[in-house]
Structure formats: structure tokens, C-alpha cells
């Protein structure tokens, strides 16, 4: 699937991660290659130590997983709303929640469909009626860019707040990942580090003089990988390849213009193999180097929040001048198999 008839623009966003309590802190930590990993003592099995990436917080905010996800989402969405500078009523919020198959403990008592109501109550705001909570994980966030563009094409929506919130630092997810030998440990160097966080990008149909764009999004591609990490077979990168090809299927930059990649690869052996195969089939133009940014090296695997974080990193790198070029591909993979890619560039509509 491909989308975006015309470019849309990132003008900022919000975030809360183990590396920072707002977008500025988070992005600075990732830019400095810091690590927010720590040792966490598990309740089950009692006393076992697991490497995680956890947000420092008061215990009352973690009274339930639903309260905790609402708290994270409220901080990131509130920051993005403030950055956008327009009322919530003309802002559509598209927020991605943990994938349904995980049966996240945050929604054990309160259905995911009611999460938006609680979030608006927490913020004291009412977003545009088109706002909604969506499942699908990190890739779903990037996959929603075409719907965000459609909303921005209307006169009722001035901006779209697009993001995700998740936490894998809970007993249920850790036990599930441990049983599959997918956690980073002394006997498994190529495992993931459970993380948590929320990230949101503020999207506009066009930049303004008062609020300049950090980057332009030219294309998006989405595909479904049949051989996900949950299947018995290894991925051959088919869906990643299809998503990247769809993202450049437009009037924007081409494959040869891409200077770097921002990816939610999480350190798993499966993730590395898929990327190696998929990227070697997509990037056919000779390059001396192809720099890649992996935010999971700083914040761990933050699930549904990782898609928007890749866009924030790309936008920040252009805005602050540390990007290794003018065009990037943002990639996101969801655990159940969805793959997505977004082609982004510095503020000018074409690379120089």
C-alpha cells in the first residue's frame, strides 16, 4: 500500500522515554548515543534480574498499567499539542496502542477503545471527532501517514497529532519474550531490551512563517510480512522491501537520493537478518556508507511508540543540522508482521 499525493510536514512533536521526559531530552540522549538501560528485579520469577529500559517515575503513576500508559501518552500528546499551537478541537489525534495479540495488561480492565476518553479527561481537552486509537504496533503509526494526509486535506483539521504509546516493562510481556528466548541476557547477546515510552509528531499540510517545518514526508509504504518473528520461518525481507519501494513511488526523492536510515530495529537476531536481506535488495545505488540510527540502542524496544520516534529523530536531525544528508528513510516493524517505511527530507521539497 502506498499513499501521500502531496507532501505533509513535521513541525515538531512530543515524547517521553527512559532517555528523557520530553522530546528535547530524548532526542539529545539519542544523538549523544547514551544508554537508558538498567537492571530490573523481576517479581516472577522472583529475584531474577533482567535488563530493561524504564522511565523513572513515582510509584503512584504505575498503580495500574492503564494509568501508566495514560500518563505517558498525556505527556507526549500534551507536548505536541503545545508545540502545534492550535486548539485540540481542530487537531486530530491518531494514537497507536500495543498490538492486540499481546493482550496488554493496560487493557485488561479498560478496553483500548475507551483509552482515548480517559486520555482526553487527563489532558482536559477534546480532540477533533476523527481522533481514534488504533492497534498494530510501531509500523501502524507510519502506516497512518496516508490517513493523516487525508485528514489534513479537509478544512476541519488544522493539524494531526500522530504517535504511539506502549510499555514492554511488565510481567506479562517479559515472561512471553523470555519463554521465546528473545530477551537480551548473558547467554543471548542478540536479544531485545524491554522499554517503554510515548512519541507523537505534529503534522501540517504546509509549513508557516511562524511555525517552520522540520522536514517533509513525501511517501509511505506498508506491507505485511508473513514470516514474522512469531512464525516458524525467518523473514526474507519481502514486506520491508515492498514498503520501501512503495514509499518512493511518487514525485519525491528516489532511492539514489537516500542518505541515511532511521529504524526501530531492536537488536534481535531476527530483526538484523531481515534488515540485511531486505535492504540489500532495495538499495541498489552504490554508496560509500549508509548511516543508520537505531533509537533502541538508547531507549530499548518501546513497541507502538517507536514508529513516531523514528520520524522525530529524522526531523530533529534536519532541523539541527546533524543529518548526514538531506533525505532519509524511516522504517518500522511491528511484532505481528506489519512493515512500514516513510520517505522524508529536509524542508526543501527535493534534495540538493
Amino acid at each position: 500500500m502506498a499513499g501521500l499525493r502531496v507532501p505533509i510536514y513535521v513541525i515538531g512533536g512530543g515524547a517521553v522515554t527512559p532517555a528523557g521526559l520530553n522530546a528535547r531530552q530524548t532526542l539529545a540522549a539519542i544523538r549523544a548515543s547514551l544508554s537508558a538501560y538498567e537492571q530490573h528485579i523481576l517479581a516472577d520469577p522472583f529475584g531474577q534480574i533482567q535488563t530493561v529500559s524504564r522511565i523513572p517515575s513515582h510509584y503512584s503513576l504505575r498503580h495500574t498499567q492503564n494509568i501508566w500508559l495514560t500518563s505517558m501518552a498525556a505527556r507526549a500528546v500534551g507536548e505536541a499539542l503545545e508545540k502545534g499551537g492550535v486548539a485540540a478541537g481542530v487537531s486530530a489525534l491518531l494514537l497507536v496502542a500495543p498490538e492486540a495479540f499481546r493482550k496488554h495488561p493496560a487493557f485488561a480492565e479498560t478496553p483500548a477503545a475507551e483509552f482515548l476518553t480517559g486520555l482526553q479527561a487527563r489532558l482536559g481537552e477534546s480532540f477533533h471527532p476523527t481522533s481514534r486509537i488504533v492497534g498494530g504496533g510501531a509500523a501502524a503509526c507510519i502506516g497512518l501517514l496516508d490517513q493523516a494526509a487525508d485528514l489534513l486535506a479537509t478544512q476541519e483539521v488544522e493539524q494531526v497529532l500522530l504517535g504511539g504509546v506502549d510499555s514492554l516493562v511488565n510481567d506479562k510481556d517479559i515472561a512471553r519474550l523470555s519463554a521465546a528466548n528473545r530477551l537480551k541476557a548473558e547467554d543471548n547477546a542478540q536479544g531485545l531490551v524491554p522499554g517503554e515510552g510515548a512519541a507523537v509528531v505534529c503534522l501540517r499540510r504546509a509549513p508557516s512563517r511562524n511555525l517552520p517545518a522540520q522536514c517533509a514526508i513525501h511517501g509511505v509504504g506498508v506491507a505485511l510480512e508473513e514470516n514474522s518473528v512469531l512464525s516458524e520461518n525467518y523473514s526474507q525481507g519481502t514486506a520491508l522491501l515492498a514498503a520501501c519501494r512503495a514509499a518512493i513511488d511518487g514525485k519525491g526523492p528516489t532511492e539514489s537520493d537516500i542518505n541515511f536510515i532511521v529504524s526501530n530495529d531492536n537488536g534481535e537476531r531476527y530483526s538484523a537478518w531481515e534488515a540485511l536481506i531486505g535492504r540489500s535488495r532495495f538499495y541498489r545505488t552504490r554508496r560509500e556508507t549508509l548511516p543508520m540510527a537505531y533509537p533502541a540502542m538508547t531507549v530499548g524496544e518501546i513497541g507502538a511508540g517507536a514508529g513516531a520516534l523514528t520520524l522525530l529523530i529524522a526531523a530533529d536531525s534536519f532541523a539541527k543540522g546533524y543529518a548526514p544528508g538531506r533525505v532519509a528513510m524511516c522504517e518500522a516493524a511491528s511484532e505481528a508482521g506489519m512493515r512500514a517505511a516513510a520517505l522524508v527530507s529536509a524542508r526543501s521539497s527535493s534534495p540538493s
Side-chain angles (χ1 to χ4, degrees):
M1 182 187 77
L4 302 196
R5 291 182 292 274
V6 296
I8 57 176
Y9 297 86
V10 177
I11 56 93
V16 56
T17 71
L21 298 181
N22 56 36
R24 182 181 62 82
Q25 292 175 0
T26 293
L27 293 168
I30 293 172
R31 186 166 66 248
S33 300
L34 302 181
S35 172
Y37 293 2
E38 64 178 41
Q39 298 299 304
H40 177 60
I41 300 175
L42 301 179
D44 185 21
F46 181 75
Q48 181 172 315
I49 295 177
Q50 174 61 48
T51 301
V52 302
S53 190
R54 198 167 184 258
I55 297 173
S57 63
H58 192 271
Y59 73 90
S60 63
L61 295 177
R62 296 181 184 268
H63 184 64
T64 69
Q65 281 287 320
N66 190 273
I67 290 174
W68 179 232
L69 260 62
T70 300
S71 298
M72 290 191 293
R75 180 178 283 270
V77 172
E79 183 184 0
L81 183 63
E82 182 179 0
K83 176 65 177 180
V86 299
V90 291
S91 302
L93 173 61
L94 304 179
L95 189 67
V96 180
E99 292 171 275
F101 83 90
R102 286 168 52 194
K103 298 181 179 179
H104 197 282
F107 307 117
E109 298 180 0
T110 304
E114 298 178 12
F115 188 79
L116 181 59
T117 302
L119 176 59
Q120 290 183 112
R122 175 67 180 266
L123 289 167
E125 302 281 3
S126 295
F127 291 97
H128 191 270
T130 53
S131 301
R132 60 190 182 277
I133 302 296
V134 182
C141 186
I142 289 181
L144 286 169
L145 284 169
D146 62 334
Q147 296 183 37
D150 290 342
L151 289 172
L152 289 171
T154 70
Q155 297 302 312
E156 295 182 356
V157 175
E158 291 189 27
Q159 69 180 3
V160 173
L161 304 181
L162 172 65
V165 60
D166 202 346
S167 174
L168 282 83
V169 188
N170 64 78
D171 294 340
K172 187 171 185 177
D173 275 316
I174 289 177
R176 172 178 68 85
L177 295 166
S178 177
N181 195 32
R182 294 176 55 193
L183 293 174
K184 182 177 178 62
E186 291 184 0
D187 60 349
N188 185 23
Q190 292 183 295
L192 66 85
V193 173
E196 58 189 6
V200 179
V201 289
C202 186
L203 304 172
R204 292 282 185 89
R205 65 176 66 91
S208 67
R209 181 173 299 178
N210 295 331
L211 201 59
Q214 292 183 325
C215 75
I217 303 174
H218 298 275
V220 57
V222 181
L224 184 63
E225 177 57 63
E226 294 183 358
N227 295 318
S228 74
V229 70
L230 305 176
S231 67
E232 295 183 358
N233 299 318
Y234 283 103
S235 167
Q236 300 300 305
T238 303
L240 176 62
L241 175 63
C244 289
R245 284 177 173 171
I248 64 170
D249 187 20
K251 298 180 180 179
T254 65
E255 176 269 323
S256 62
D257 297 316
I258 298 171
N259 305 116
F260 66 103
I261 296 169
V262 187
S263 170
N264 78 325
D265 284 0
N266 60 14
E268 284 192 86
R269 185 177 293 102
Y270 170 95
S271 178
W273 286 351
E274 178 182 69
L276 178 64
I277 298 172
R279 289 174 188 153
S280 65
R281 295 164 66 188
F282 175 72
Y283 293 97
R284 309 303 294 177
T285 305
R286 185 183 181 278
R287 295 167 170 80
E288 289 296 330
T289 61
L290 182 58
M292 301 181 191
Y294 297 117
M297 295 177 67
T298 294
V299 300
E301 170 61 88
I302 63 170
L309 185 58
T310 66
L311 295 171
L312 278 177
I313 292 169
D316 185 69
S317 70
F318 293 130
K320 290 187 170 60
Y322 62 90
R326 297 187 61 83
V327 181
M329 186 70 87
C330 293
E331 302 173 356
S334 294
E335 195 173 350
M338 186 182 293
R339 303 290 184 264
L343 182 68
V344 305
S345 76
R347 282 174 291 194
S348 63
S349 59
S350 60
S352 61

